[in-house]
Every structure is written in C-alpha cells, then in structure tokens.
PDB file of all heavy atoms in Angstrom:
ATOM      1  N   ILE A   1      87.267  35.501 -40.837  1.00 92.00           N
ATOM      2  CA  ILE A   1      86.133  36.137 -41.106  1.00 92.00           C
ATOM      3  C   ILE A   1      84.899  35.510 -40.447  1.00 92.00           C
ATOM      4  O   ILE A   1      84.088  36.258 -39.793  1.00 92.00           O
ATOM      5  CB  ILE A   1      85.761  36.280 -42.653  1.00 92.00           C
ATOM      6  CG1 ILE A   1      86.737  37.145 -43.436  1.00 92.00           C
ATOM      7  CG2 ILE A   1      84.295  36.743 -42.976  1.00 92.00           C
ATOM      8  CD1 ILE A   1      86.702  37.011 -44.901  1.00 92.00           C
ATOM      9  N   GLN A   2      84.858  34.220 -40.460  1.00 93.00           N
ATOM     10  CA  GLN A   2      83.823  33.499 -39.643  1.00 93.00           C
ATOM     11  C   GLN A   2      84.016  33.641 -38.192  1.00 93.00           C
ATOM     12  O   GLN A   2      82.987  33.882 -37.440  1.00 93.00           O
ATOM     13  CB  GLN A   2      83.917  32.010 -39.969  1.00 93.00           C
ATOM     14  CG  GLN A   2      82.759  31.193 -39.447  1.00 93.00           C
ATOM     15  CD  GLN A   2      82.942  29.802 -40.028  1.00 93.00           C
ATOM     16  OE1 GLN A   2      83.971  29.316 -40.265  1.00 93.00           O
ATOM     17  NE2 GLN A   2      81.827  29.127 -39.887  1.00 93.00           N
ATOM     18  N   TYR A   3      85.147  33.677 -37.655  1.00 92.00           N
ATOM     19  CA  TYR A   3      85.440  34.003 -36.193  1.00 92.00           C
ATOM     20  C   TYR A   3      85.032  35.401 -35.835  1.00 92.00           C
ATOM     21  O   TYR A   3      84.416  35.666 -34.697  1.00 92.00           O
ATOM     22  CB  TYR A   3      86.940  33.732 -35.982  1.00 92.00           C
ATOM     23  CG  TYR A   3      87.375  33.975 -34.523  1.00 92.00           C
ATOM     24  CD1 TYR A   3      86.899  33.114 -33.520  1.00 92.00           C
ATOM     25  CD2 TYR A   3      88.083  35.041 -34.110  1.00 92.00           C
ATOM     26  CE1 TYR A   3      87.298  33.395 -32.198  1.00 92.00           C
ATOM     27  CE2 TYR A   3      88.461  35.280 -32.821  1.00 92.00           C
ATOM     28  CZ  TYR A   3      88.038  34.499 -31.827  1.00 92.00           C
ATOM     29  OH  TYR A   3      88.421  34.709 -30.611  1.00 92.00           O
ATOM     30  N   ARG A   4      85.271  36.487 -36.674  1.00 90.00           N
ATOM     31  CA  ARG A   4      84.863  37.779 -36.362  1.00 90.00           C
ATOM     32  C   ARG A   4      83.274  37.875 -36.357  1.00 90.00           C
ATOM     33  O   ARG A   4      82.786  38.530 -35.592  1.00 90.00           O
ATOM     34  CB  ARG A   4      85.403  38.629 -37.337  1.00 90.00           C
ATOM     35  CG  ARG A   4      86.984  38.756 -37.161  1.00 90.00           C
ATOM     36  CD  ARG A   4      87.687  39.978 -37.407  1.00 90.00           C
ATOM     37  NE  ARG A   4      86.959  41.245 -37.014  1.00 90.00           N
ATOM     38  CZ  ARG A   4      87.402  42.312 -37.104  1.00 90.00           C
ATOM     39  NH1 ARG A   4      88.474  42.574 -37.847  1.00 90.00           N
ATOM     40  NH2 ARG A   4      86.691  43.470 -36.798  1.00 90.00           N
ATOM     41  N   SER A   5      82.613  37.149 -37.304  1.00 91.00           N
ATOM     42  CA  SER A   5      81.266  37.334 -37.286  1.00 91.00           C
ATOM     43  C   SER A   5      80.591  36.600 -36.064  1.00 91.00           C
ATOM     44  O   SER A   5      79.663  37.037 -35.500  1.00 91.00           O
ATOM     45  CB  SER A   5      80.720  36.774 -38.475  1.00 91.00           C
ATOM     46  OG  SER A   5      80.880  35.279 -38.649  1.00 91.00           O
ATOM     47  N   LEU A   6      81.306  35.590 -35.536  1.00 91.00           N
ATOM     48  CA  LEU A   6      80.835  34.790 -34.325  1.00 91.00           C
ATOM     49  C   LEU A   6      80.980  35.777 -33.070  1.00 91.00           C
ATOM     50  O   LEU A   6      80.176  35.826 -32.262  1.00 91.00           O
ATOM     51  CB  LEU A   6      81.541  33.588 -34.072  1.00 91.00           C
ATOM     52  CG  LEU A   6      81.261  32.856 -32.774  1.00 91.00           C
ATOM     53  CD1 LEU A   6      79.888  32.245 -32.984  1.00 91.00           C
ATOM     54  CD2 LEU A   6      82.424  31.704 -32.620  1.00 91.00           C
ATOM     55  N   LEU A   7      82.094  36.532 -33.010  1.00 90.00           N
ATOM     56  CA  LEU A   7      82.420  37.484 -31.976  1.00 90.00           C
ATOM     57  C   LEU A   7      81.349  38.565 -31.969  1.00 90.00           C
ATOM     58  O   LEU A   7      80.960  39.173 -30.942  1.00 90.00           O
ATOM     59  CB  LEU A   7      83.708  38.055 -32.010  1.00 90.00           C
ATOM     60  CG  LEU A   7      84.863  36.996 -31.809  1.00 90.00           C
ATOM     61  CD1 LEU A   7      86.245  37.792 -31.789  1.00 90.00           C
ATOM     62  CD2 LEU A   7      84.767  36.456 -30.312  1.00 90.00           C
ATOM     63  N   LYS A   8      80.914  38.992 -33.227  1.00 90.00           N
ATOM     64  CA  LYS A   8      79.841  40.017 -33.247  1.00 90.00           C
ATOM     65  C   LYS A   8      78.561  39.593 -32.735  1.00 90.00           C
ATOM     66  O   LYS A   8      77.749  40.340 -32.010  1.00 90.00           O
ATOM     67  CB  LYS A   8      79.731  40.514 -34.709  1.00 90.00           C
ATOM     68  CG  LYS A   8      80.806  41.428 -35.216  1.00 90.00           C
ATOM     69  CD  LYS A   8      80.569  41.852 -36.516  1.00 90.00           C
ATOM     70  CE  LYS A   8      81.718  42.771 -37.138  1.00 90.00           C
ATOM     71  NZ  LYS A   8      81.622  43.048 -38.504  1.00 90.00           N
ATOM     72  N   ILE A   9      78.187  38.298 -32.954  1.00 92.00           N
ATOM     73  CA  ILE A   9      76.949  37.767 -32.434  1.00 92.00           C
ATOM     74  C   ILE A   9      76.955  37.574 -31.045  1.00 92.00           C
ATOM     75  O   ILE A   9      76.098  37.864 -30.295  1.00 92.00           O
ATOM     76  CB  ILE A   9      76.665  36.317 -33.185  1.00 92.00           C
ATOM     77  CG1 ILE A   9      76.362  36.581 -34.655  1.00 92.00           C
ATOM     78  CG2 ILE A   9      75.563  35.633 -32.472  1.00 92.00           C
ATOM     79  CD1 ILE A   9      76.382  35.306 -35.457  1.00 92.00           C
ATOM     80  N   THR A  10      78.097  37.187 -30.357  1.00 91.00           N
ATOM     81  CA  THR A  10      78.206  37.037 -28.992  1.00 91.00           C
ATOM     82  C   THR A  10      78.600  38.364 -28.296  1.00 91.00           C
ATOM     83  O   THR A  10      78.834  38.324 -27.063  1.00 91.00           O
ATOM     84  CB  THR A  10      79.312  36.033 -28.569  1.00 91.00           C
ATOM     85  OG1 THR A  10      80.652  36.385 -29.098  1.00 91.00           O
ATOM     86  CG2 THR A  10      78.903  34.665 -29.149  1.00 91.00           C
ATOM     87  N   GLU A  11      78.882  39.497 -29.045  1.00 88.00           N
ATOM     88  CA  GLU A  11      79.215  40.801 -28.538  1.00 88.00           C
ATOM     89  C   GLU A  11      80.582  40.722 -27.740  1.00 88.00           C
ATOM     90  O   GLU A  11      80.686  41.301 -26.703  1.00 88.00           O
ATOM     91  CB  GLU A  11      78.118  41.383 -27.752  1.00 88.00           C
ATOM     92  CG  GLU A  11      76.855  41.513 -28.660  1.00 88.00           C
ATOM     93  CD  GLU A  11      75.741  42.261 -27.851  1.00 88.00           C
ATOM     94  OE1 GLU A  11      75.843  42.269 -26.628  1.00 88.00           O
ATOM     95  OE2 GLU A  11      74.694  42.389 -28.484  1.00 88.00           O
ATOM     96  N   GLU A  12      81.504  40.008 -28.196  1.00 87.00           N
ATOM     97  CA  GLU A  12      82.919  40.015 -27.456  1.00 87.00           C
ATOM     98  C   GLU A  12      83.827  40.861 -28.313  1.00 87.00           C
ATOM     99  O   GLU A  12      83.632  41.182 -29.556  1.00 87.00           O
ATOM    100  CB  GLU A  12      83.370  38.594 -27.443  1.00 87.00           C
ATOM    101  CG  GLU A  12      82.489  37.755 -26.549  1.00 87.00           C
ATOM    102  CD  GLU A  12      83.059  36.334 -26.463  1.00 87.00           C
ATOM    103  OE1 GLU A  12      84.217  36.130 -26.749  1.00 87.00           O
ATOM    104  OE2 GLU A  12      82.316  35.355 -26.014  1.00 87.00           O
ATOM    105  N   GLN A  13      84.803  41.287 -27.682  1.00 87.00           N
ATOM    106  CA  GLN A  13      85.920  42.048 -28.497  1.00 87.00           C
ATOM    107  C   GLN A  13      86.819  41.192 -29.272  1.00 87.00           C
ATOM    108  O   GLN A  13      87.162  40.103 -28.840  1.00 87.00           O
ATOM    109  CB  GLN A  13      86.755  42.855 -27.328  1.00 87.00           C
ATOM    110  CG  GLN A  13      86.189  43.970 -26.711  1.00 87.00           C
ATOM    111  CD  GLN A  13      85.865  45.167 -27.669  1.00 87.00           C
ATOM    112  OE1 GLN A  13      86.526  45.307 -28.717  1.00 87.00           O
ATOM    113  NE2 GLN A  13      84.706  45.889 -27.426  1.00 87.00           N
ATOM    114  N   PHE A  14      87.328  41.638 -30.313  1.00 81.00           N
ATOM    115  CA  PHE A  14      88.291  40.895 -31.123  1.00 81.00           C
ATOM    116  C   PHE A  14      89.655  41.219 -30.609  1.00 81.00           C
ATOM    117  O   PHE A  14      90.118  42.282 -30.718  1.00 81.00           O
ATOM    118  CB  PHE A  14      88.134  41.281 -32.698  1.00 81.00           C
ATOM    119  CG  PHE A  14      89.101  40.537 -33.602  1.00 81.00           C
ATOM    120  CD1 PHE A  14      88.878  39.198 -33.834  1.00 81.00           C
ATOM    121  CD2 PHE A  14      90.050  41.153 -34.147  1.00 81.00           C
ATOM    122  CE1 PHE A  14      89.742  38.531 -34.743  1.00 81.00           C
ATOM    123  CE2 PHE A  14      91.034  40.606 -34.935  1.00 81.00           C
ATOM    124  CZ  PHE A  14      90.778  39.146 -35.301  1.00 81.00           C
ATOM    125  N   MET A  15      90.317  40.198 -30.131  1.00 86.00           N
ATOM    126  CA  MET A  15      91.659  40.370 -29.532  1.00 86.00           C
ATOM    127  C   MET A  15      92.760  39.870 -30.550  1.00 86.00           C
ATOM    128  O   MET A  15      93.897  40.089 -30.401  1.00 86.00           O
ATOM    129  CB  MET A  15      91.838  39.658 -28.270  1.00 86.00           C
ATOM    130  CG  MET A  15      90.764  40.238 -27.240  1.00 86.00           C
ATOM    131  SD  MET A  15      91.068  41.981 -26.966  1.00 86.00           S
ATOM    132  CE  MET A  15      91.360  42.075 -25.303  1.00 86.00           C
ATOM    133  N   GLY A  16      92.305  39.161 -31.453  1.00 82.00           N
ATOM    134  CA  GLY A  16      93.193  38.549 -32.524  1.00 82.00           C
ATOM    135  C   GLY A  16      92.675  37.255 -33.011  1.00 82.00           C
ATOM    136  O   GLY A  16      91.799  36.691 -32.358  1.00 82.00           O
ATOM    137  N   PRO A  17      93.215  36.650 -34.034  1.00 84.00           N
ATOM    138  CA  PRO A  17      92.764  35.445 -34.482  1.00 84.00           C
ATOM    139  C   PRO A  17      93.159  34.255 -33.662  1.00 84.00           C
ATOM    140  O   PRO A  17      94.049  34.333 -32.911  1.00 84.00           O
ATOM    141  CB  PRO A  17      93.424  35.282 -35.899  1.00 84.00           C
ATOM    142  CG  PRO A  17      94.609  36.146 -35.731  1.00 84.00           C
ATOM    143  CD  PRO A  17      94.364  37.266 -34.920  1.00 84.00           C
ATOM    144  N   PRO A  18      92.346  33.158 -33.718  1.00 89.00           N
ATOM    145  CA  PRO A  18      92.791  31.965 -32.871  1.00 89.00           C
ATOM    146  C   PRO A  18      94.082  31.373 -33.296  1.00 89.00           C
ATOM    147  O   PRO A  18      94.592  31.692 -34.419  1.00 89.00           O
ATOM    148  CB  PRO A  18      91.641  30.918 -33.153  1.00 89.00           C
ATOM    149  CG  PRO A  18      90.568  31.684 -34.000  1.00 89.00           C
ATOM    150  CD  PRO A  18      91.262  32.941 -34.463  1.00 89.00           C
ATOM    151  N   ILE A  19      94.731  30.650 -32.509  1.00 93.00           N
ATOM    152  CA  ILE A  19      96.040  30.144 -32.753  1.00 93.00           C
ATOM    153  C   ILE A  19      95.997  29.158 -33.997  1.00 93.00           C
ATOM    154  O   ILE A  19      97.014  29.131 -34.732  1.00 93.00           O
ATOM    155  CB  ILE A  19      96.644  29.430 -31.499  1.00 93.00           C
ATOM    156  CG1 ILE A  19      98.123  29.147 -31.688  1.00 93.00           C
ATOM    157  CG2 ILE A  19      95.856  28.145 -31.114  1.00 93.00           C
ATOM    158  CD1 ILE A  19      99.065  30.325 -31.704  1.00 93.00           C
ATOM    159  N   THR A  20      94.959  28.418 -34.175  1.00 94.00           N
ATOM    160  CA  THR A  20      94.790  27.637 -35.445  1.00 94.00           C
ATOM    161  C   THR A  20      94.953  28.431 -36.682  1.00 94.00           C
ATOM    162  O   THR A  20      95.520  27.870 -37.555  1.00 94.00           O
ATOM    163  CB  THR A  20      93.518  26.722 -35.366  1.00 94.00           C
ATOM    164  OG1 THR A  20      92.449  27.624 -35.336  1.00 94.00           O
ATOM    165  CG2 THR A  20      93.546  25.877 -34.144  1.00 94.00           C
ATOM    166  N   VAL A  21      94.315  29.597 -36.762  1.00 94.00           N
ATOM    167  CA  VAL A  21      94.441  30.508 -37.912  1.00 94.00           C
ATOM    168  C   VAL A  21      95.844  30.873 -38.134  1.00 94.00           C
ATOM    169  O   VAL A  21      96.423  30.843 -39.288  1.00 94.00           O
ATOM    170  CB  VAL A  21      93.367  31.518 -37.802  1.00 94.00           C
ATOM    171  CG1 VAL A  21      93.562  32.553 -38.930  1.00 94.00           C
ATOM    172  CG2 VAL A  21      92.010  31.123 -37.804  1.00 94.00           C
ATOM    173  N   VAL A  22      96.505  31.234 -36.963  1.00 94.00           N
ATOM    174  CA  VAL A  22      97.900  31.794 -37.162  1.00 94.00           C
ATOM    175  C   VAL A  22      98.808  30.686 -37.581  1.00 94.00           C
ATOM    176  O   VAL A  22      99.650  30.820 -38.488  1.00 94.00           O
ATOM    177  CB  VAL A  22      98.480  32.269 -35.740  1.00 94.00           C
ATOM    178  CG1 VAL A  22      99.811  32.573 -35.840  1.00 94.00           C
ATOM    179  CG2 VAL A  22      97.613  33.503 -35.325  1.00 94.00           C
ATOM    180  N   VAL A  23      98.609  29.400 -37.237  1.00 96.00           N
ATOM    181  CA  VAL A  23      99.328  28.285 -37.649  1.00 96.00           C
ATOM    182  C   VAL A  23      99.040  28.030 -39.181  1.00 96.00           C
ATOM    183  O   VAL A  23     100.071  27.651 -39.926  1.00 96.00           O
ATOM    184  CB  VAL A  23      99.005  27.018 -36.823  1.00 96.00           C
ATOM    185  CG1 VAL A  23      99.668  25.825 -37.490  1.00 96.00           C
ATOM    186  CG2 VAL A  23      99.534  27.297 -35.327  1.00 96.00           C
ATOM    187  N   GLU A  24      97.854  28.142 -39.430  1.00 95.00           N
ATOM    188  CA  GLU A  24      97.508  28.015 -40.952  1.00 95.00           C
ATOM    189  C   GLU A  24      98.156  29.096 -41.812  1.00 95.00           C
ATOM    190  O   GLU A  24      98.666  28.855 -42.901  1.00 95.00           O
ATOM    191  CB  GLU A  24      96.024  28.141 -41.184  1.00 95.00           C
ATOM    192  CG  GLU A  24      95.196  26.875 -40.822  1.00 95.00           C
ATOM    193  CD  GLU A  24      93.731  27.044 -41.196  1.00 95.00           C
ATOM    194  OE1 GLU A  24      93.359  27.743 -42.155  1.00 95.00           O
ATOM    195  OE2 GLU A  24      92.878  26.453 -40.543  1.00 95.00           O
ATOM    196  N   LEU A  25      98.158  30.264 -41.259  1.00 95.00           N
ATOM    197  CA  LEU A  25      98.934  31.361 -41.945  1.00 95.00           C
ATOM    198  C   LEU A  25     100.350  31.197 -42.214  1.00 95.00           C
ATOM    199  O   LEU A  25     100.891  31.377 -43.336  1.00 95.00           O
ATOM    200  CB  LEU A  25      98.617  32.747 -41.268  1.00 95.00           C
ATOM    201  CG  LEU A  25      97.276  33.241 -41.444  1.00 95.00           C
ATOM    202  CD1 LEU A  25      97.198  34.571 -40.519  1.00 95.00           C
ATOM    203  CD2 LEU A  25      96.964  33.774 -42.842  1.00 95.00           C
ATOM    204  N   VAL A  26     100.938  30.758 -41.204  1.00 96.00           N
ATOM    205  CA  VAL A  26     102.429  30.420 -41.276  1.00 96.00           C
ATOM    206  C   VAL A  26     102.760  29.214 -42.278  1.00 96.00           C
ATOM    207  O   VAL A  26     103.582  29.336 -43.049  1.00 96.00           O
ATOM    208  CB  VAL A  26     102.996  30.137 -39.804  1.00 96.00           C
ATOM    209  CG1 VAL A  26     104.390  29.655 -39.931  1.00 96.00           C
ATOM    210  CG2 VAL A  26     102.911  31.408 -39.010  1.00 96.00           C
ATOM    211  N   ALA A  27     101.885  28.216 -42.159  1.00 96.00           N
ATOM    212  CA  ALA A  27     102.058  27.105 -43.031  1.00 96.00           C
ATOM    213  C   ALA A  27     101.781  27.431 -44.460  1.00 96.00           C
ATOM    214  O   ALA A  27     102.558  27.189 -45.405  1.00 96.00           O
ATOM    215  CB  ALA A  27     101.106  25.849 -42.574  1.00 96.00           C
ATOM    216  N   GLY A  28     100.667  28.188 -44.730  1.00 96.00           N
ATOM    217  CA  GLY A  28     100.462  28.656 -46.088  1.00 96.00           C
ATOM    218  C   GLY A  28     101.506  29.511 -46.533  1.00 96.00           C
ATOM    219  O   GLY A  28     101.818  29.405 -47.845  1.00 96.00           O
ATOM    220  N   LEU A  29     101.938  30.411 -45.820  1.00 96.00           N
ATOM    221  CA  LEU A  29     103.015  31.282 -46.294  1.00 96.00           C
ATOM    222  C   LEU A  29     104.358  30.584 -46.545  1.00 96.00           C
ATOM    223  O   LEU A  29     104.861  30.864 -47.568  1.00 96.00           O
ATOM    224  CB  LEU A  29     103.406  32.282 -45.189  1.00 96.00           C
ATOM    225  CG  LEU A  29     104.455  33.312 -45.467  1.00 96.00           C
ATOM    226  CD1 LEU A  29     104.090  34.266 -46.568  1.00 96.00           C
ATOM    227  CD2 LEU A  29     104.825  34.103 -44.273  1.00 96.00           C
ATOM    228  N   PHE A  30     104.648  29.621 -45.784  1.00 96.00           N
ATOM    229  CA  PHE A  30     105.819  28.783 -46.007  1.00 96.00           C
ATOM    230  C   PHE A  30     105.764  27.904 -47.322  1.00 96.00           C
ATOM    231  O   PHE A  30     106.669  27.941 -48.109  1.00 96.00           O
ATOM    232  CB  PHE A  30     106.077  27.808 -44.885  1.00 96.00           C
ATOM    233  CG  PHE A  30     107.209  26.872 -45.179  1.00 96.00           C
ATOM    234  CD1 PHE A  30     108.603  27.304 -44.990  1.00 96.00           C
ATOM    235  CD2 PHE A  30     107.046  25.609 -45.373  1.00 96.00           C
ATOM    236  CE1 PHE A  30     109.610  26.479 -45.282  1.00 96.00           C
ATOM    237  CE2 PHE A  30     108.032  24.729 -45.571  1.00 96.00           C
ATOM    238  CZ  PHE A  30     109.433  25.109 -45.550  1.00 96.00           C
ATOM    239  N   LEU A  31     104.567  27.470 -47.431  1.00 95.00           N
ATOM    240  CA  LEU A  31     104.289  26.547 -48.809  1.00 95.00           C
ATOM    241  C   LEU A  31     104.331  27.391 -49.930  1.00 95.00           C
ATOM    242  O   LEU A  31     104.919  27.165 -51.036  1.00 95.00           O
ATOM    243  CB  LEU A  31     103.017  25.765 -48.665  1.00 95.00           C
ATOM    244  CG  LEU A  31     103.067  24.666 -47.656  1.00 95.00           C
ATOM    245  CD1 LEU A  31     101.527  24.144 -47.570  1.00 95.00           C
ATOM    246  CD2 LEU A  31     103.980  23.613 -47.950  1.00 95.00           C
ATOM    247  N   CYS A  32     103.688  28.613 -49.907  1.00 94.00           N
ATOM    248  CA  CYS A  32     103.749  29.584 -51.088  1.00 94.00           C
ATOM    249  C   CYS A  32     105.130  30.142 -51.273  1.00 94.00           C
ATOM    250  O   CYS A  32     105.556  30.187 -52.597  1.00 94.00           O
ATOM    251  CB  CYS A  32     102.746  30.695 -50.827  1.00 94.00           C
ATOM    252  SG  CYS A  32     101.054  30.280 -50.931  1.00 94.00           S
ATOM    253  N   LEU A  33     105.862  30.302 -50.318  1.00 94.00           N
ATOM    254  CA  LEU A  33     107.236  30.895 -50.457  1.00 94.00           C
ATOM    255  C   LEU A  33     108.035  29.699 -51.098  1.00 94.00           C
ATOM    256  O   LEU A  33     108.959  30.047 -51.965  1.00 94.00           O
ATOM    257  CB  LEU A  33     107.768  31.209 -49.090  1.00 94.00           C
ATOM    258  CG  LEU A  33     109.205  31.843 -49.150  1.00 94.00           C
ATOM    259  CD1 LEU A  33     109.294  33.229 -49.839  1.00 94.00           C
ATOM    260  CD2 LEU A  33     109.634  32.098 -47.700  1.00 94.00           C
ATOM    261  N   TRP A  34     108.009  28.597 -50.583  1.00 92.00           N
ATOM    262  CA  TRP A  34     108.916  27.470 -51.230  1.00 92.00           C
ATOM    263  C   TRP A  34     108.441  27.176 -52.612  1.00 92.00           C
ATOM    264  O   TRP A  34     109.246  27.089 -53.435  1.00 92.00           O
ATOM    265  CB  TRP A  34     108.580  26.137 -50.335  1.00 92.00           C
ATOM    266  CG  TRP A  34     109.347  25.095 -50.770  1.00 92.00           C
ATOM    267  CD1 TRP A  34     110.663  24.806 -50.471  1.00 92.00           C
ATOM    268  CD2 TRP A  34     108.956  23.950 -51.619  1.00 92.00           C
ATOM    269  NE1 TRP A  34     111.118  23.579 -51.125  1.00 92.00           N
ATOM    270  CE2 TRP A  34     110.058  23.118 -51.778  1.00 92.00           C
ATOM    271  CE3 TRP A  34     107.854  23.643 -52.248  1.00 92.00           C
ATOM    272  CZ2 TRP A  34     110.091  21.991 -52.576  1.00 92.00           C
ATOM    273  CZ3 TRP A  34     107.791  22.439 -53.017  1.00 92.00           C
ATOM    274  CH2 TRP A  34     108.902  21.647 -53.114  1.00 92.00           C
TER     275      TRP A  34
END
C-alpha cells in the first residue's frame, strides 16, 4: 500500500510489488502454512 501511494505521488505506473514484498509474502505464507 505504501509503495502504491509512492507511485501515485511520482505518477508512475504500478507494474507489480517490489521483490522484497514478494519475498515477504512467500515467507509469511510458508510460516502460516507450517
């Protein structure tokens, strides 16, 4: 959400979340599943 708001301020297109967010999602999903 913070990244998207930053992109709106700089008027850039949202192409996807940063790789750090994707790594966090995978790690959080793995921990919750375990």
Side-chain angles (χ1 to χ4, degrees):
I1 293 169
Q2 190 176 20
Y3 178 70
R4 290 206 49 174
S5 65
L6 177 69
L7 288 180
K8 284 181 184 178
I9 292 171
T10 59
E11 297 178 358
E12 295 179 20
Q13 289 289 336
F14 180 74
M15 300 304 234
I19 192 69
T20 57
V21 173
V22 174
V23 169
E24 280 185 32
L25 285 172
V26 170
L29 178 69
F30 176 74
L31 291 175
C32 287
L33 182 67
W34 185 79

